[in-house]
Amino acid sequence: MTKHPEQLPADATAERGEVMIDGPDGYVLSLTPEAALHTARSLRAAAREAEQQRSELSHSVETDQIEGVSADEARKRAE
């Protein structure tokens, strides 16, 4: 896991039969259409799972705060 995940989205375009992904800081990736479709499905599934994890983590931190645990301590426990 990274310390600071990228908050800016990448853009995808089709060029000459390839899918080009242009991301922040000059990140560029070229994929075949098949690889791009697989990547899109994988990204969608991972994003949904990450949202669920974040929701569960947020709930855990809120519960700890109600029980008198500091926010920093609650985050450490969640990690």
Side-chain angles (χ1 to χ4, degrees):
M1 184 184 321
T2 60
K3 289 276 184 185
H4 302 284
E6 184 58 59
Q7 294 183 16
L8 298 174
D11 292 318
T13 57
E15 297 180 19
R16 299 180 193 166
E18 297 178 11
V19 176
M20 304 297 292
I21 300 175
D22 296 315
D25 297 326
Y27 177 81
V28 178
L29 177 65
S30 172
L31 298 169
T32 65
E34 297 81 11
L37 287 169
H38 178 84
T39 301
R41 287 189 295 269
S42 178
L43 278 169
R44 181 173 285 124
R48 287 181 180 148
E49 185 176 346
E51 284 182 326
Q52 180 64 35
Q53 292 170 352
R54 187 170 26 179
S55 175
E56 291 169 0
L57 177 60
S58 176
H59 177 72
S60 174
V61 169
E62 289 170 6
T63 301
D64 285 344
Q65 287 175 337
I66 290 169
E67 295 173 357
V69 177
S70 72
D72 287 338
E73 182 61 30
R75 282 188 203 91
K76 288 178 185 175
R77 289 182 183 185
E79 293 173 355

